[in-house]
Short mmCIF file of all heavy atoms in Angstrom, two decimals:
data_model
loop_
_atom_site.label_atom_id
_atom_site.label_comp_id
_atom_site.label_asym_id
_atom_site.label_seq_id
_atom_site.Cartn_x
_atom_site.Cartn_y
_atom_site.Cartn_z
N LEU L 76 -146.69 -84.56 -13.59
CA LEU L 76 -146.99 -83.41 -14.43
C LEU L 76 -147.25 -83.62 -15.81
O LEU L 76 -148.17 -82.90 -16.33
CB LEU L 76 -145.79 -82.32 -14.22
CG LEU L 76 -145.66 -81.81 -12.80
CD1 LEU L 76 -144.42 -80.95 -12.81
CD2 LEU L 76 -146.83 -81.03 -12.21
N SER L 77 -146.68 -84.69 -16.41
CA SER L 77 -146.95 -84.92 -17.91
C SER L 77 -148.12 -85.65 -18.12
O SER L 77 -148.58 -85.57 -19.33
CB SER L 77 -145.80 -85.74 -18.40
OG SER L 77 -145.71 -87.01 -17.91
N LEU L 78 -148.75 -86.35 -17.02
CA LEU L 78 -150.02 -87.02 -17.19
C LEU L 78 -151.23 -86.51 -16.61
O LEU L 78 -152.36 -86.92 -16.88
CB LEU L 78 -149.71 -88.52 -16.69
CG LEU L 78 -148.67 -89.32 -17.35
CD1 LEU L 78 -148.39 -90.63 -16.50
CD2 LEU L 78 -149.09 -89.70 -18.85
N ARG L 79 -151.01 -85.49 -15.62
CA ARG L 79 -152.21 -85.14 -14.82
C ARG L 79 -153.34 -84.57 -15.68
O ARG L 79 -154.55 -84.55 -15.19
CB ARG L 79 -151.79 -84.00 -13.70
CG ARG L 79 -151.21 -82.87 -14.31
CD ARG L 79 -150.91 -81.88 -13.07
NE ARG L 79 -150.40 -80.53 -13.57
CZ ARG L 79 -150.11 -79.61 -12.82
NH1 ARG L 79 -150.35 -79.63 -11.40
NH2 ARG L 79 -149.64 -78.55 -13.26
N ALA L 80 -153.05 -83.86 -16.74
CA ALA L 80 -154.13 -83.15 -17.45
C ALA L 80 -155.14 -84.28 -18.13
O ALA L 80 -156.23 -84.07 -18.11
CB ALA L 80 -153.50 -82.32 -18.58
N ARG L 81 -154.53 -85.29 -18.72
CA ARG L 81 -155.24 -86.30 -19.40
C ARG L 81 -155.69 -87.44 -18.49
O ARG L 81 -156.79 -87.98 -18.79
CB ARG L 81 -154.49 -86.73 -20.65
CG ARG L 81 -154.28 -85.79 -21.76
CD ARG L 81 -153.55 -86.38 -22.92
NE ARG L 81 -154.39 -87.56 -23.51
CZ ARG L 81 -154.11 -88.15 -24.53
NH1 ARG L 81 -152.86 -88.23 -24.94
NH2 ARG L 81 -154.91 -89.16 -24.97
N PHE L 82 -154.80 -87.84 -17.69
CA PHE L 82 -155.17 -88.96 -16.76
C PHE L 82 -154.83 -88.70 -15.29
O PHE L 82 -153.95 -89.21 -14.82
CB PHE L 82 -154.33 -90.29 -17.22
CG PHE L 82 -154.25 -90.47 -18.72
CD1 PHE L 82 -153.12 -90.22 -19.54
CD2 PHE L 82 -155.49 -91.01 -19.36
CE1 PHE L 82 -153.12 -90.41 -20.90
CE2 PHE L 82 -155.45 -91.19 -20.78
CZ PHE L 82 -154.28 -90.83 -21.45
N PRO L 83 -155.64 -87.89 -14.76
CA PRO L 83 -155.39 -87.43 -13.34
C PRO L 83 -155.31 -88.59 -12.25
O PRO L 83 -154.48 -88.42 -11.35
CB PRO L 83 -156.63 -86.39 -13.08
CG PRO L 83 -157.66 -86.95 -13.95
CD PRO L 83 -156.94 -87.30 -15.23
N VAL L 84 -156.24 -89.59 -12.32
CA VAL L 84 -156.11 -90.59 -11.43
C VAL L 84 -154.93 -91.46 -11.55
O VAL L 84 -154.18 -91.76 -10.66
CB VAL L 84 -157.39 -91.50 -11.42
CG1 VAL L 84 -157.28 -92.65 -10.60
CG2 VAL L 84 -158.64 -90.58 -11.10
N LEU L 85 -154.58 -91.83 -12.86
CA LEU L 85 -153.51 -92.64 -13.18
C LEU L 85 -152.07 -91.91 -12.82
O LEU L 85 -151.21 -92.43 -12.36
CB LEU L 85 -153.37 -93.08 -14.63
CG LEU L 85 -154.48 -94.17 -14.89
CD1 LEU L 85 -154.47 -94.32 -16.55
CD2 LEU L 85 -154.08 -95.53 -14.34
N ALA L 86 -152.13 -90.68 -13.06
CA ALA L 86 -150.97 -89.89 -12.63
C ALA L 86 -150.61 -89.88 -11.18
O ALA L 86 -149.47 -89.89 -10.84
CB ALA L 86 -151.24 -88.36 -13.18
N ILE L 87 -151.64 -89.77 -10.41
CA ILE L 87 -151.50 -89.80 -9.01
C ILE L 87 -150.99 -91.19 -8.50
O ILE L 87 -150.08 -91.32 -7.79
CB ILE L 87 -152.82 -89.56 -8.15
CG1 ILE L 87 -153.30 -88.14 -8.32
CG2 ILE L 87 -152.71 -89.92 -6.74
CD1 ILE L 87 -154.69 -87.83 -7.86
N PHE L 88 -151.53 -92.35 -9.11
CA PHE L 88 -150.91 -93.60 -8.73
C PHE L 88 -149.53 -93.79 -9.27
O PHE L 88 -148.72 -94.43 -8.55
CB PHE L 88 -151.82 -94.63 -9.51
CG PHE L 88 -153.12 -95.06 -8.74
CD1 PHE L 88 -154.31 -94.80 -9.21
CD2 PHE L 88 -153.08 -95.36 -7.34
CE1 PHE L 88 -155.50 -95.01 -8.58
CE2 PHE L 88 -154.10 -95.73 -6.62
CZ PHE L 88 -155.44 -95.38 -7.17
N ILE L 89 -149.12 -93.23 -10.37
CA ILE L 89 -147.78 -93.36 -10.92
C ILE L 89 -146.83 -92.50 -10.06
O ILE L 89 -145.69 -92.95 -9.66
CB ILE L 89 -147.74 -92.85 -12.44
CG1 ILE L 89 -148.31 -94.06 -13.28
CG2 ILE L 89 -146.30 -92.64 -12.78
CD1 ILE L 89 -148.46 -93.59 -14.73
N LEU L 90 -147.39 -91.40 -9.56
CA LEU L 90 -146.56 -90.58 -8.69
C LEU L 90 -146.25 -91.42 -7.19
O LEU L 90 -145.13 -91.30 -6.90
CB LEU L 90 -147.34 -89.31 -8.28
CG LEU L 90 -146.81 -88.38 -7.15
CD1 LEU L 90 -145.60 -87.86 -7.62
CD2 LEU L 90 -147.72 -87.37 -6.79
N LEU L 91 -147.33 -91.94 -6.87
CA LEU L 91 -147.11 -92.74 -5.62
C LEU L 91 -146.22 -94.00 -5.83
O LEU L 91 -145.36 -94.32 -4.96
CB LEU L 91 -148.43 -93.26 -5.08
CG LEU L 91 -149.42 -92.10 -4.47
CD1 LEU L 91 -150.84 -92.68 -4.20
CD2 LEU L 91 -148.74 -91.30 -3.33
N SER L 92 -146.40 -94.68 -7.00
CA SER L 92 -145.64 -95.80 -7.27
C SER L 92 -144.09 -95.55 -7.36
O SER L 92 -143.37 -96.15 -6.65
CB SER L 92 -146.03 -96.37 -8.57
OG SER L 92 -145.30 -97.56 -8.97
N ILE L 93 -143.75 -94.50 -8.15
CA ILE L 93 -142.37 -94.25 -8.24
C ILE L 93 -141.87 -93.59 -6.88
O ILE L 93 -140.62 -93.84 -6.48
CB ILE L 93 -142.05 -93.20 -9.50
CG1 ILE L 93 -142.60 -93.87 -10.72
CG2 ILE L 93 -140.52 -92.99 -9.56
CD1 ILE L 93 -142.66 -92.94 -11.93
N GLY L 94 -142.65 -92.52 -6.33
CA GLY L 94 -142.21 -91.80 -5.17
C GLY L 94 -141.97 -92.79 -3.99
O GLY L 94 -140.99 -92.54 -3.32
N ILE L 95 -142.90 -93.72 -3.68
CA ILE L 95 -142.70 -94.63 -2.57
C ILE L 95 -141.41 -95.42 -2.75
O ILE L 95 -140.60 -95.66 -1.74
CB ILE L 95 -143.79 -95.41 -2.35
CG1 ILE L 95 -145.06 -94.53 -1.93
CG2 ILE L 95 -143.62 -96.59 -1.27
CD1 ILE L 95 -146.47 -95.31 -1.78
N PHE L 96 -141.13 -95.86 -4.05
CA PHE L 96 -139.94 -96.64 -4.26
C PHE L 96 -138.66 -95.79 -4.02
O PHE L 96 -137.68 -96.23 -3.40
CB PHE L 96 -139.95 -97.19 -5.63
CG PHE L 96 -138.70 -97.86 -6.11
CD1 PHE L 96 -138.45 -99.12 -5.67
CD2 PHE L 96 -137.72 -97.27 -6.80
CE1 PHE L 96 -137.30 -99.83 -6.03
CE2 PHE L 96 -136.48 -97.93 -7.10
CZ PHE L 96 -136.29 -99.34 -6.85
N ALA L 97 -138.70 -94.51 -4.62
CA ALA L 97 -137.71 -93.64 -4.45
C ALA L 97 -137.28 -93.39 -2.93
O ALA L 97 -136.05 -93.39 -2.57
CB ALA L 97 -137.97 -92.31 -5.09
N VAL L 98 -138.29 -93.13 -2.18
CA VAL L 98 -138.07 -92.83 -0.74
C VAL L 98 -137.60 -94.19 0.03
O VAL L 98 -136.69 -94.18 0.77
CB VAL L 98 -139.29 -92.33 -0.11
CG1 VAL L 98 -139.06 -92.10 1.40
CG2 VAL L 98 -139.60 -90.95 -0.73
N GLY L 99 -138.37 -95.31 -0.24
CA GLY L 99 -138.18 -96.47 0.56
C GLY L 99 -136.85 -97.19 0.14
O GLY L 99 -135.99 -97.48 1.05
N ALA L 100 -136.71 -97.45 -1.10
CA ALA L 100 -135.74 -98.37 -1.65
C ALA L 100 -134.47 -97.50 -1.95
O ALA L 100 -133.42 -98.06 -2.25
CB ALA L 100 -136.12 -99.14 -2.86
#
Side-chain angles (χ1 to χ4, degrees):
L76 292 175
S77 71
L78 293 169
R79 65 175 178 175
R81 293 187 61 190
F82 311 107
V84 176
L85 286 170
I87 292 173
F88 280 119
I89 287 176
L90 172 69
L91 292 173
S92 176
I93 304 173
I95 291 172
F96 176 81
V98 174

